[in-house]
């Protein structure tokens, strides 16, 4: 009934008097995981760093001290706190203490050059820079390029002019400090710069809500529990370590710090601490699989290993299984808080021939439980492609675990999110079971004489050669065919092979039009997270 004399609109019984209250609505934030773990698992070891141990009660107190000290230093809501450190306890503490203060954490890539770091510090408007001793020289060069100087806090034996020692700063803080939490769960939590595989890094911004859900999605998919021991073989500066600093704490597990990824150290820590889980780029798996016998330490249990990026070659998957690792392949991006999908083995795979089983394992899988929607779609229409395992489309993502956008870059934000989906730029097929399988980056498909050639297919074949450790294939301009495949190979230590031998190997396994027309040898350029920088290789191919 409307018009004069109408009764006021009545609220629906399921809404009337049932609004949000402090008792039933709290903004989601990964900070809450630590308070819960400290309350219920206070004496449980939270962090292992060499001979050092931190219980959950100690970790919680240190994080509250740091949050309190930042507040006393004038750091307010949405101020940026940058950190330049490896996989250290201070990096874990920053993941909780900075958002406790309501500030924005900006983990910086420790393998970048000083000029790029200075640009990041300036673009992110960092008011504090926490520096580990191993990064002091790099930080000093970056700071010298800034027109202003943030508060510099040094951990360990770092020496930088005017810096405050990390432990001295903590001593000023209150271990009983009670953080207020975010005013809203959409509040910005982290600033992550993309790793630079395209040569155009951008600052992705995460929310408290997204980080909370991503951590729970990872813990569920990876099977984390209080008896889990997680080894840090993935840089924590990369997508917040795929949100595992929060995920492990949510599960009440133990984190083992590792500053430098070396096969001997990995095997030693697995055996010494009963490591159950680790993550890393395919290059990490390649290092483990090709570790010399003297670097290997036997262990009796199975270690779950998650890897992202290009699918590991079947030879690496086979070697990892033989060494006691169970590999799960992931897919994601900085823009999706790290993993968005995971390939989980199905019971019937055990009966498949080895090569078919490895091909299934190399798929990128299905969406994590906390991702709202996944689609493989026609890039022009955004309509889903058939789930036939053949039709190629672009991977699109939607949900709470997609970034808020790019800092101070509305055009790039609109380009990535403006169609109602996050457009990944990755080309894949959709299988009948709902799993996706990446075929290539859109820019990495090689179109030769009108035929599409997948660089990933060629790389899989090339890495089957016993002398090849890593392979990358890019398009090389050709006056007749438009483009032809150019292969760049990094050989195993002590191995030798010629280009004609590689081409003969490929001819026996590939259609003739797919065989590379050029083969080049040498170390492959990689990002700090082990991803091969194909934009560098494309430039080399054009110059050849």
């Amino acid at each position: 009934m409307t018009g004069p004399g109408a009764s006021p609109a009545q609220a629906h019984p399921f809404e009337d008097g049932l609004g949000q209250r402090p008792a039933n609505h709290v903004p989601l934030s990964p900070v809450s995981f630590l308070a819960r773990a400290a309350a219920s698992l206070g004496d449980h070891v939270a962090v292992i760093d060499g001979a050092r141990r931190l219980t959950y009660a100690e970790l919680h107190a240190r994080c509250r001290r740091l949050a309190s000290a930042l507040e006393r230093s004038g750091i307010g809501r949405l101020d940026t706190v940058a950190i330049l450190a490896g996989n250290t306890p201070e990096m874990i503490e920053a993941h909780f203490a900075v958002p406790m203060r309501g500030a924005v954490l900006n983990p910086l890539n420790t393998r970048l050059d000083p000029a790029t770091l200075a640009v990041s510090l300036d673009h992110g408007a960092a008011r504090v820079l926490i520096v580990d001793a191993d990064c002091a020289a790099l930080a000093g060069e970056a700071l010298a390029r800034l027109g202003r100087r943030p508060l510099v806090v040094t951990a360990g034996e770092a020496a930088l002019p005017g810096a405050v020692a990390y432990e001295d700063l903590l001593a000023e803080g209150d271990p009983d400090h009670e953080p207020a939490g975010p005013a809203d769960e959409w509040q910005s939590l982290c600033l992550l710069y993309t790793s630079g595989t395209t040569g155009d890094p951008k600052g992705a911004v995460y929310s408290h809500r997204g980080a909370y859900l991503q951590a729970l999605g990872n813990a569920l998919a990876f099977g984390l529990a209080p008896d889990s021991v997680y080894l840090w073989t993935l840089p924590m500066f990369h997508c917040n370590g795929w949100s595992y600093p929060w995920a492990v704490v949510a599960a009440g597990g133990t984190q083992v710090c590792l500053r430098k990824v070396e096969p001997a150290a990995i095997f030693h820590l697995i055996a010494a601490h009963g490591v159950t889980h680790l993550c890393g780029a395919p290059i990490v798996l390649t290092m483990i699989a090709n570790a010399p016998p003297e670097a290997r330490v036997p262990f009796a249990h199975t270690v779950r290993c998650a890897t992202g990026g290009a699918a590991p070659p079947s030879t690496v998957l086979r070697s990892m299984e033989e060494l006691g690792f169970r590999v799960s392949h992931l897919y994601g991006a900085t823009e999706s808080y790290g993993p968005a999908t995971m390939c989980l083995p199905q019971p019937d795979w055990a009966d498949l021939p080895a090569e078919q089983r490895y091909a299934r394992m190399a798929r990128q899988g299905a969406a994590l439980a906390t991702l709202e929607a996944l689609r493989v779609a026609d890039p022009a229409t955004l309509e889903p492609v058939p789930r036939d395992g053949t039709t190629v489309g672009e991977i699109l993502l939607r949900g709470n675990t997609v970034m808020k956008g790019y800092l101070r870059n509305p055009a790039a934000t609109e380009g990535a999110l403006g169609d109602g989906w996050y457009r990944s730029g990755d080309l894949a097929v959709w299988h009948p079971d709902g799993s996706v399988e990446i075929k290539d980056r859109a820019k990495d498909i090689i179109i030769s004489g009108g035929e599409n050639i997948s660089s990933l297919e060629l790389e899989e074949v090339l890495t089957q050669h016993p002398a090849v450790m890593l392979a990358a294939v890019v398009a090389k301009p050709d006056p007749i065919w438009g483009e032809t495949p150019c292969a760049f190979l990094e050989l195993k230590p002590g191995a030798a092979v010629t280009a004609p031998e590689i081409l003969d190997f490929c001819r026996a396994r590939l259609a003739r039009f797919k065989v590379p027309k050029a083969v080049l040898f040498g170390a492959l350029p990689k990002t700090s997270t082990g991803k091969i920088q194909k934009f560098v290789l494309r430039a080399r191919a054009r110059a050849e």
Side-chain angles (χ1 to χ4, degrees), residues 47-141:
V47 178
I48 297 174
D49 181 36
R52 185 185 180 194
R53 304 289 187 275
L54 288 175
T55 66
Y56 269 108
E58 291 168 334
L59 179 62
H60 191 214
R62 286 176 61 83
C63 290
R64 285 186 294 182
R65 282 186 179 276
L66 180 53
S68 171
L70 290 172
E71 180 179 353
R72 295 180 182 186
S73 299
I75 303 306
R77 179 178 175 272
L78 297 180
D79 284 339
T80 303
V81 177
I83 180 168
L84 187 65
N87 292 339
T88 65
E90 292 80 11
M91 181 66 102
I92 296 172
E93 291 167 359
H95 274 77
F96 289 92
V98 174
M100 276 183 185
R101 179 64 201 110
V104 177
L105 178 65
N106 176 208
L108 295 169
N109 188 328
T110 62
R111 298 161 194 168
L112 293 178
D113 60 278
T116 303
L117 286 174
V119 169
S120 298
L121 288 167
D122 185 57
H123 184 261
R127 291 199 58 196
V128 178
L129 173 61
I130 301 172
V131 181
D132 182 69
D134 291 342
C135 306
L138 177 61
E141 292 184 51

Side-chain angles (χ1 to χ4, degrees), residues 178-254:
E178 289 295 336
D184 181 280
E185 60 188 24
W186 187 244
Q187 183 173 312
S188 297
L189 168 71
C190 283
L191 170 65
L192 282 304
Y193 286 95
T194 56
S195 60
T197 55
T198 64
D200 181 28
K202 297 177 285 290
V205 179
Y206 294 176
S207 71
H208 282 254
R209 176 183 179 84
Y212 180 97
L213 293 169
Q214 179 71 13
L216 292 183
N218 284 342
L220 176 63
F222 209 20
L224 296 177
D227 60 354
S228 297
V229 181
Y230 182 90
L231 177 61
W232 274 109
T233 48
L234 175 78
M236 274 188 250
F237 62 68
H238 178 53
C239 305
N240 295 111
W242 293 352
S243 296
Y244 278 101
W246 301 309
V248 178
V249 172
T254 300

Side-chain angles (χ1 to χ4, degrees), residues 296-445:
R296 299 177 183 180
V297 179
F299 50 90
H301 62 289
T302 299
V303 178
R304 291 197 61 177
C305 174
T307 187
S314 57
T315 52
V316 171
L317 292 174
R318 184 190 303 272
S319 297
M320 291 294 286
E321 284 188 347
E322 293 171 350
L323 289 169
F325 296 86
R326 180 153 63 98
V327 179
S328 297
H329 197 217
L330 305 168
Y331 166 75
T334 301
E335 291 82 353
S336 63
Y337 293 68
T341 73
M342 176 178 274
C343 183
L344 297 176
Q346 303 301 310
D348 61 334
W349 291 7
D351 300 326
L352 294 174
E355 292 308 313
Q356 290 185 30
R357 183 165 60 86
Y358 292 139
R360 298 282 183 90
M361 290 173 63
R363 292 178 184 174
Q364 285 61 48
L368 297 189
T370 45
L371 181 72
E372 184 65 23
L374 164 70
R375 175 182 290 185
V376 181
D378 183 303
T381 66
L382 303 189
E383 290 300 313
V385 301
R387 298 192 185 193
D388 55 12
T390 302
T391 307
V392 176
E394 182 181 0
I395 294 179
L396 308 180
L397 306 175
R398 172 187 286 167
N400 296 291
T401 53
V402 171
M403 66 168 183
K404 296 176 67 171
Y406 297 115
L407 181 66
R408 298 195 183 101
N409 198 335
T413 299
E414 181 65 20
L417 307 178
D419 292 322
W421 296 83
Y422 165 60
R423 302 199 59 159
S424 70
D426 291 313
L427 301 181
V429 296
W430 218 351
H431 289 278
D433 63 0
S435 66
V436 300
E437 180 184 358
I438 290 180
K439 290 301 181 182
D440 230 324
R441 288 287 294 175
K443 61 181 175 297
D444 291 339
I445 283 286

Side-chain angles (χ1 to χ4, degrees), residues 438-459:
I438 290 180
K439 290 301 181 182
D440 230 324
R441 288 287 294 175
K443 61 181 175 297
D444 291 339
I445 283 286
I446 302 162
I447 304 175
S448 185
E451 297 285 351
N452 287 355
I453 302 173
S454 167
S455 66
L456 298 185
E457 178 187 1
L458 271 63
E459 289 160 8

